[in-house]
Amino acid sequence: MGLERWIGAWPVYRQITGADRLGRGKAAESRRSAGLGPRTDSADRVVDSVCPYCAVGCAQRVYVKDEQVIQIEGNPDSPISRGRLCPKGSASKQLVTGPQREQKVRYRPPYATEWQALDLETAMDMVADRVLDARRKGWQDVDEDGKTLRRTMGIASLGGATLDNEENYLIKKLFTALGALQIENQARI
Ligand code: SF4
């Protein structure tokens, strides 16, 4: 390395001779950092999304390359979060791409010790059968004085804090239409 280049590699020299007099930018930059770029630079496209973890609903930008999620950042356009994500939201790429994420429906029958794989259609049919069965078994048409009730005591719903407004709205509508009374959300407990 020539003397001039060697001296020029000193941050203090660059600070004194360059535009970055406070030494907080270019003057303090190493050669390695000068060659680095943001992980989001290589994305093919960016998809707007919402953090799935909690009811705050911070907005996200999902960076996609070759149809794979490569990074998730806060979306500054959001009036709720204005580009911020908490540590959980910042780590939500792991939720999407983690190797331990289950991609198939898993079912453990009563008294079984092992999980088994089910196709989604079978699983949905099983859920529907159980809902209808519980509704029928817990159905009350009238009370002891003959007054109309038309309700079921066989179903209760407890929503989690990751549910957003729209999901809670639909869940409330569904279970009320089924005749359930006990419809709650974790956020109210
Ligand atoms: S988990 Fe964090 S980033 Fe996600 S919605 Fe809640 S506060 Fe926002």
Side-chain angles (χ1 to χ4, degrees), residues 121-181:
E121 203 169 322
T122 306
M124 294 300 277
D125 285 347
M126 287 167 67
V127 171
D129 287 347
R130 282 159 172 73
V131 168
L132 294 177
D133 188 47
R135 179 177 186 262
R136 192 177 55 248
K137 283 180 180 158
W139 188 258
Q140 297 174 337
D141 215 30
V142 290
D143 67 10
E144 55 275 12
D145 300 322
K147 288 188 189 141
T148 303
L149 293 174
R150 289 192 190 149
R151 68 188 186 189
T152 182
M153 304 302 278
I155 299 174
S157 167
L158 176 60
T162 59
L163 296 168
D164 56 34
N165 278 352
E166 292 75 16
E167 287 163 331
N168 280 310
Y169 173 77
L170 290 172
I171 286 168
K172 169 74 174 138
K173 274 195 110 162
L174 170 69
F175 285 113
T176 300
L178 285 169
L181 300 179

Side-chain angles (χ1 to χ4, degrees), residues 51-58 60 81 84-90:
C51 174
Y53 276 125
C54 91
V56 174
C58 299
Q60 295 183 321
S81 50
R84 299 177 184 91
L85 295 175
C86 79
K88 262 178 91 166
S90 305

Side-chain angles (χ1 to χ4, degrees), residues 12-175:
V12 69
Y13 176 80
R14 295 202 303 259
Q15 184 178 345
I16 293 165
T17 57
D20 179 19
R21 288 297 162 91
L22 293 175
R24 292 177 171 174
K26 283 281 168 200
E29 192 174 67
S30 70
R31 258 198 295 275
R32 180 177 171 279
S33 354
L36 295 176
R39 275 172 289 194
T40 51
D41 262 5
S42 60
D44 300 327
R45 63 196 167 93
V46 184
V47 182
D48 285 346
S49 187
V50 178
C51 174
Y53 276 125
C54 91
V56 174
C58 299
Q60 295 183 321
R61 282 182 177 166
V62 181
Y63 293 83
V64 181
K65 181 180 170 65
D66 300 329
E67 295 309 304
Q68 300 294 317
V69 174
I70 58 164
Q71 180 66 5
I72 297 179
E73 306 261 332
N75 186 344
D77 292 340
S78 165
I80 299 167
S81 50
R82 290 177 289 170
R84 299 177 184 91
L85 295 175
C86 79
K88 262 178 91 166
S90 305
S92 50
K93 175 173 168 264
Q94 292 170 7
L95 177 75
V96 184
T97 60
Q100 290 182 312
R101 182 184 171 131
E102 284 290 352
Q103 307 283 340
K104 300 245 165 60
V105 178
R106 306 284 284 165
Y107 174 61
R108 194 170 62 135
Y111 307 110
T113 54
E114 301 295 327
W115 293 87
Q116 63 189 53
L118 276 187
D119 65 281
L120 183 59
E121 203 169 322
T122 306
M124 294 300 277
D125 285 347
M126 287 167 67
V127 171
D129 287 347
R130 282 159 172 73
V131 168
L132 294 177
D133 188 47
R135 179 177 186 262
R136 192 177 55 248
K137 283 180 180 158
W139 188 258
Q140 297 174 337
D141 215 30
V142 290
D143 67 10
E144 55 275 12
D145 300 322
K147 288 188 189 141
T148 303
L149 293 174
R150 289 192 190 149
R151 68 188 186 189
T152 182
M153 304 302 278
I155 299 174
S157 167
L158 176 60
T162 59
L163 296 168
D164 56 34
N165 278 352
E166 292 75 16
E167 287 163 331
N168 280 310
Y169 173 77
L170 290 172
I171 286 168
K172 169 74 174 138
K173 274 195 110 162
L174 170 69
F175 285 113

